[in-house]
Short mmCIF file of all heavy atoms in Angstrom, two decimals:
data_model
loop_
_atom_site.label_atom_id
_atom_site.label_comp_id
_atom_site.label_asym_id
_atom_site.label_seq_id
_atom_site.Cartn_x
_atom_site.Cartn_y
_atom_site.Cartn_z
N ILE I 319 -42.60 -8.17 -11.86
CA ILE I 319 -41.74 -7.01 -12.05
C ILE I 319 -40.68 -6.90 -10.95
O ILE I 319 -39.62 -6.29 -11.13
CB ILE I 319 -42.61 -5.72 -12.08
CG1 ILE I 319 -41.75 -4.54 -12.54
CG2 ILE I 319 -43.24 -5.45 -10.72
CD1 ILE I 319 -42.54 -3.28 -12.77
N TRP I 320 -40.94 -7.51 -9.77
CA TRP I 320 -39.99 -7.44 -8.66
C TRP I 320 -38.85 -8.44 -8.77
O TRP I 320 -37.87 -8.35 -8.02
CB TRP I 320 -40.75 -7.67 -7.34
CG TRP I 320 -41.61 -6.51 -6.95
CD1 TRP I 320 -42.95 -6.37 -7.15
CD2 TRP I 320 -41.16 -5.31 -6.32
NE1 TRP I 320 -43.39 -5.17 -6.68
CE2 TRP I 320 -42.30 -4.48 -6.16
CE3 TRP I 320 -39.94 -4.85 -5.88
CZ2 TRP I 320 -42.23 -3.23 -5.58
CZ3 TRP I 320 -39.86 -3.60 -5.29
CH2 TRP I 320 -41.00 -2.81 -5.14
N LEU I 321 -38.94 -9.41 -9.69
CA LEU I 321 -37.90 -10.45 -9.78
C LEU I 321 -36.53 -9.86 -10.16
O LEU I 321 -35.54 -10.13 -9.46
CB LEU I 321 -38.34 -11.53 -10.76
CG LEU I 321 -37.34 -12.68 -10.93
CD1 LEU I 321 -37.12 -13.39 -9.60
CD2 LEU I 321 -37.85 -13.67 -11.99
N PRO I 322 -36.41 -9.10 -11.25
CA PRO I 322 -35.08 -8.53 -11.57
C PRO I 322 -34.56 -7.58 -10.50
O PRO I 322 -33.36 -7.53 -10.24
CB PRO I 322 -35.30 -7.81 -12.91
CG PRO I 322 -36.76 -7.58 -13.00
CD PRO I 322 -37.40 -8.72 -12.27
N ILE I 323 -35.49 -6.85 -9.87
CA ILE I 323 -35.06 -5.94 -8.79
C ILE I 323 -34.49 -6.73 -7.63
O ILE I 323 -33.46 -6.37 -7.05
CB ILE I 323 -36.25 -5.07 -8.33
CG1 ILE I 323 -36.73 -4.18 -9.49
CG2 ILE I 323 -35.85 -4.22 -7.13
CD1 ILE I 323 -37.96 -3.36 -9.17
N GLY I 324 -35.14 -7.84 -7.28
CA GLY I 324 -34.66 -8.67 -6.18
C GLY I 324 -33.30 -9.28 -6.48
O GLY I 324 -32.43 -9.37 -5.60
N ILE I 325 -33.10 -9.72 -7.73
CA ILE I 325 -31.79 -10.30 -8.11
C ILE I 325 -30.68 -9.25 -8.02
O ILE I 325 -29.59 -9.52 -7.50
CB ILE I 325 -31.87 -10.88 -9.53
CG1 ILE I 325 -32.83 -12.08 -9.55
CG2 ILE I 325 -30.48 -11.30 -10.01
CD1 ILE I 325 -33.08 -12.64 -10.93
N LEU I 326 -30.97 -8.03 -8.49
CA LEU I 326 -29.97 -6.96 -8.39
C LEU I 326 -29.65 -6.61 -6.95
O LEU I 326 -28.49 -6.36 -6.59
CB LEU I 326 -30.47 -5.72 -9.14
CG LEU I 326 -30.55 -5.84 -10.68
CD1 LEU I 326 -31.14 -4.57 -11.28
CD2 LEU I 326 -29.17 -6.11 -11.27
N LEU I 327 -30.69 -6.61 -6.10
CA LEU I 327 -30.45 -6.32 -4.68
C LEU I 327 -29.59 -7.40 -4.02
O LEU I 327 -28.72 -7.11 -3.20
CB LEU I 327 -31.79 -6.20 -3.94
CG LEU I 327 -32.61 -4.93 -4.23
CD1 LEU I 327 -33.96 -4.99 -3.52
CD2 LEU I 327 -31.84 -3.68 -3.80
N ALA I 328 -29.83 -8.66 -4.42
CA ALA I 328 -29.02 -9.75 -3.87
C ALA I 328 -27.56 -9.61 -4.29
O ALA I 328 -26.64 -9.79 -3.48
CB ALA I 328 -29.58 -11.10 -4.31
N LEU I 329 -27.33 -9.29 -5.57
CA LEU I 329 -25.95 -9.10 -6.06
C LEU I 329 -25.28 -7.93 -5.34
O LEU I 329 -24.10 -8.00 -4.98
CB LEU I 329 -25.96 -8.87 -7.57
CG LEU I 329 -26.32 -10.07 -8.44
CD1 LEU I 329 -26.41 -9.66 -9.90
CD2 LEU I 329 -25.30 -11.19 -8.26
N LEU I 330 -26.03 -6.85 -5.15
CA LEU I 330 -25.48 -5.69 -4.46
C LEU I 330 -25.11 -6.03 -3.02
O LEU I 330 -24.04 -5.63 -2.52
CB LEU I 330 -26.49 -4.54 -4.49
CG LEU I 330 -26.07 -3.25 -3.78
CD1 LEU I 330 -24.81 -2.67 -4.40
CD2 LEU I 330 -27.21 -2.23 -3.81
N ALA I 331 -25.97 -6.79 -2.35
CA ALA I 331 -25.69 -7.17 -0.96
C ALA I 331 -24.44 -8.05 -0.88
O ALA I 331 -23.61 -7.90 0.03
CB ALA I 331 -26.89 -7.91 -0.38
N VAL I 332 -24.27 -8.97 -1.85
CA VAL I 332 -23.08 -9.82 -1.86
C VAL I 332 -21.82 -9.00 -2.05
O VAL I 332 -20.80 -9.21 -1.39
CB VAL I 332 -23.20 -10.89 -2.96
CG1 VAL I 332 -21.88 -11.63 -3.15
CG2 VAL I 332 -24.30 -11.88 -2.62
N LEU I 333 -21.86 -8.02 -2.96
CA LEU I 333 -20.69 -7.17 -3.21
C LEU I 333 -20.34 -6.33 -1.99
O LEU I 333 -19.16 -6.11 -1.69
CB LEU I 333 -20.94 -6.27 -4.42
CG LEU I 333 -21.00 -6.98 -5.78
CD1 LEU I 333 -21.32 -5.99 -6.89
CD2 LEU I 333 -19.69 -7.70 -6.07
N ILE I 334 -21.36 -5.85 -1.28
CA ILE I 334 -21.10 -5.07 -0.06
C ILE I 334 -20.42 -5.94 1.00
O ILE I 334 -19.44 -5.53 1.63
CB ILE I 334 -22.41 -4.47 0.47
CG1 ILE I 334 -22.93 -3.39 -0.49
CG2 ILE I 334 -22.20 -3.88 1.86
CD1 ILE I 334 -24.29 -2.84 -0.12
N VAL I 335 -20.95 -7.15 1.19
CA VAL I 335 -20.34 -8.07 2.16
C VAL I 335 -18.91 -8.40 1.74
O VAL I 335 -17.99 -8.42 2.57
CB VAL I 335 -21.19 -9.35 2.29
CG1 VAL I 335 -20.44 -10.41 3.12
CG2 VAL I 335 -22.53 -9.04 2.92
N LEU I 336 -18.70 -8.66 0.45
CA LEU I 336 -17.36 -8.99 -0.04
C LEU I 336 -16.39 -7.85 0.20
O LEU I 336 -15.25 -8.08 0.65
CB LEU I 336 -17.44 -9.31 -1.53
CG LEU I 336 -16.10 -9.59 -2.23
CD1 LEU I 336 -15.43 -10.82 -1.64
CD2 LEU I 336 -16.30 -9.75 -3.74
N ASN I 337 -16.82 -6.63 -0.07
CA ASN I 337 -15.93 -5.47 0.10
C ASN I 337 -15.54 -5.29 1.57
O ASN I 337 -14.35 -5.12 1.90
CB ASN I 337 -16.62 -4.21 -0.42
CG ASN I 337 -15.74 -2.98 -0.29
OD1 ASN I 337 -14.61 -2.96 -0.75
ND2 ASN I 337 -16.26 -1.95 0.34
N LEU I 338 -16.52 -5.36 2.46
CA LEU I 338 -16.24 -5.14 3.88
C LEU I 338 -15.39 -6.26 4.48
O LEU I 338 -14.39 -6.01 5.17
CB LEU I 338 -17.56 -5.01 4.65
CG LEU I 338 -18.43 -3.79 4.31
CD1 LEU I 338 -19.74 -3.84 5.07
CD2 LEU I 338 -17.69 -2.49 4.61
N ARG I 339 -15.76 -7.50 4.20
CA ARG I 339 -15.06 -8.61 4.83
C ARG I 339 -13.69 -8.86 4.20
O ARG I 339 -12.76 -9.30 4.88
CB ARG I 339 -15.91 -9.88 4.76
CG ARG I 339 -17.30 -9.76 5.35
CD ARG I 339 -17.29 -9.33 6.80
NE ARG I 339 -16.74 -10.32 7.70
CZ ARG I 339 -16.81 -10.24 9.02
NH1 ARG I 339 -17.42 -9.19 9.58
NH2 ARG I 339 -16.28 -11.18 9.78
N SER I 340 -13.55 -8.59 2.89
CA SER I 340 -12.25 -8.80 2.25
C SER I 340 -11.23 -7.78 2.75
O SER I 340 -10.06 -8.11 2.95
CB SER I 340 -12.37 -8.72 0.72
OG SER I 340 -12.80 -7.42 0.32
N ASN I 341 -11.67 -6.54 2.96
CA ASN I 341 -10.76 -5.53 3.52
C ASN I 341 -10.29 -5.94 4.91
O ASN I 341 -9.10 -5.82 5.24
CB ASN I 341 -11.44 -4.17 3.57
CG ASN I 341 -11.55 -3.53 2.20
OD1 ASN I 341 -10.78 -3.82 1.30
ND2 ASN I 341 -12.52 -2.63 2.03
N ALA I 342 -11.21 -6.42 5.74
CA ALA I 342 -10.84 -6.86 7.08
C ALA I 342 -9.89 -8.06 7.02
O ALA I 342 -8.93 -8.15 7.79
CB ALA I 342 -12.09 -7.21 7.88
N ALA I 343 -10.16 -8.99 6.09
CA ALA I 343 -9.29 -10.17 5.96
C ALA I 343 -7.90 -9.77 5.50
O ALA I 343 -6.89 -10.33 5.95
CB ALA I 343 -9.92 -11.16 4.98
N MET I 344 -7.81 -8.80 4.58
CA MET I 344 -6.51 -8.35 4.10
C MET I 344 -5.72 -7.71 5.24
O MET I 344 -4.50 -7.93 5.36
CB MET I 344 -6.70 -7.35 2.96
CG MET I 344 -7.13 -7.97 1.65
SD MET I 344 -7.42 -6.72 0.37
CE MET I 344 -5.81 -5.97 0.26
N MET I 345 -6.37 -6.93 6.07
CA MET I 345 -5.68 -6.29 7.19
C MET I 345 -5.20 -7.34 8.20
O MET I 345 -4.10 -7.24 8.73
CB MET I 345 -6.61 -5.29 7.87
CG MET I 345 -6.94 -4.08 7.01
SD MET I 345 -5.46 -3.20 6.47
CE MET I 345 -6.14 -2.08 5.27
N ASN I 346 -6.02 -8.36 8.45
CA ASN I 346 -5.62 -9.41 9.37
C ASN I 346 -4.39 -10.16 8.86
O ASN I 346 -3.47 -10.48 9.62
CB ASN I 346 -6.76 -10.41 9.59
CG ASN I 346 -7.89 -9.81 10.41
OD1 ASN I 346 -7.68 -8.90 11.20
ND2 ASN I 346 -9.10 -10.32 10.21
N ALA I 347 -4.36 -10.41 7.54
CA ALA I 347 -3.23 -11.13 6.95
C ALA I 347 -1.99 -10.26 6.88
O ALA I 347 -0.87 -10.76 7.00
CB ALA I 347 -3.60 -11.63 5.56
N ALA I 348 -2.18 -8.94 6.70
CA ALA I 348 -1.04 -8.04 6.53
C ALA I 348 -0.40 -7.63 7.84
O ALA I 348 0.79 -7.30 7.87
CB ALA I 348 -1.49 -6.78 5.77
N GLU I 349 -1.17 -7.66 8.92
CA GLU I 349 -0.67 -7.16 10.20
C GLU I 349 0.55 -7.96 10.66
O GLU I 349 0.53 -9.18 10.75
CB GLU I 349 -1.77 -7.24 11.26
CG GLU I 349 -1.52 -6.37 12.46
CD GLU I 349 -2.76 -6.18 13.31
OE1 GLU I 349 -3.69 -7.00 13.19
OE2 GLU I 349 -2.80 -5.21 14.09
N GLY I 350 1.62 -7.25 10.90
CA GLY I 350 2.85 -7.87 11.36
C GLY I 350 3.75 -8.39 10.26
O GLY I 350 4.86 -8.87 10.54
N GLN I 351 3.32 -8.31 8.99
CA GLN I 351 4.13 -8.79 7.88
C GLN I 351 5.06 -7.68 7.38
O GLN I 351 4.61 -6.55 7.15
CB GLN I 351 3.24 -9.27 6.73
CG GLN I 351 2.38 -10.46 7.07
CD GLN I 351 3.18 -11.71 7.36
OE1 GLN I 351 4.21 -11.95 6.74
NE2 GLN I 351 2.74 -12.49 8.34
N PRO I 352 6.36 -7.95 7.18
CA PRO I 352 7.27 -6.92 6.65
C PRO I 352 6.83 -6.44 5.27
O PRO I 352 6.49 -7.25 4.40
CB PRO I 352 8.62 -7.65 6.58
CG PRO I 352 8.49 -8.80 7.52
CD PRO I 352 7.05 -9.21 7.49
N GLY I 353 6.83 -5.13 5.08
CA GLY I 353 6.45 -4.57 3.79
C GLY I 353 4.96 -4.42 3.57
O GLY I 353 4.53 -4.01 2.49
N ALA I 354 4.14 -4.71 4.59
CA ALA I 354 2.69 -4.66 4.42
C ALA I 354 2.21 -3.24 4.14
O ALA I 354 1.29 -3.04 3.34
CB ALA I 354 1.99 -5.22 5.66
N ALA I 355 2.81 -2.25 4.79
CA ALA I 355 2.38 -0.87 4.59
C ALA I 355 2.57 -0.44 3.14
O ALA I 355 1.71 0.24 2.56
CB ALA I 355 3.14 0.06 5.53
N ALA I 356 3.69 -0.82 2.54
CA ALA I 356 3.93 -0.46 1.14
C ALA I 356 2.93 -1.14 0.22
O ALA I 356 2.43 -0.54 -0.74
CB ALA I 356 5.36 -0.83 0.75
N GLN I 357 2.60 -2.40 0.50
CA GLN I 357 1.63 -3.12 -0.32
C GLN I 357 0.26 -2.47 -0.25
O GLN I 357 -0.45 -2.35 -1.26
CB GLN I 357 1.55 -4.57 0.11
CG GLN I 357 2.83 -5.36 -0.15
CD GLN I 357 2.74 -6.79 0.32
OE1 GLN I 357 1.71 -7.23 0.84
NE2 GLN I 357 3.81 -7.54 0.17
N ILE I 358 -0.14 -2.04 0.94
CA ILE I 358 -1.43 -1.38 1.09
C ILE I 358 -1.45 -0.07 0.32
O ILE I 358 -2.43 0.26 -0.35
CB ILE I 358 -1.74 -1.17 2.58
CG1 ILE I 358 -2.01 -2.52 3.26
CG2 ILE I 358 -2.94 -0.24 2.76
CD1 ILE I 358 -2.20 -2.42 4.75
N MET I 359 -0.37 0.70 0.41
CA MET I 359 -0.32 1.98 -0.30
C MET I 359 -0.35 1.77 -1.81
O MET I 359 -0.97 2.55 -2.53
CB MET I 359 0.95 2.74 0.09
CG MET I 359 0.95 3.27 1.52
SD MET I 359 -0.46 4.34 1.89
CE MET I 359 -0.32 5.56 0.57
N GLU I 360 0.31 0.73 -2.29
CA GLU I 360 0.32 0.47 -3.74
C GLU I 360 -1.06 0.07 -4.25
O GLU I 360 -1.35 0.24 -5.44
CB GLU I 360 1.34 -0.62 -4.05
CG GLU I 360 2.78 -0.15 -3.91
CD GLU I 360 3.79 -1.27 -4.09
OE1 GLU I 360 3.41 -2.46 -3.91
OE2 GLU I 360 4.95 -0.97 -4.41
#
Side-chain angles (χ1 to χ4, degrees):
I319 191 173
W320 287 98
L321 181 61
I323 297 176
I325 294 174
L326 291 176
L327 288 176
L329 290 175
L330 179 61
V332 170
L333 290 177
I334 291 174
V335 171
L336 176 63
N337 181 53
L338 295 176
R339 304 303 292 190
S340 63
N341 285 336
M344 286 177 61
M345 293 303 170
N346 289 334
E349 198 165 20
Q351 296 295 323
Q357 294 179 1
I358 291 174
M359 290 304 305
E360 289 174 337

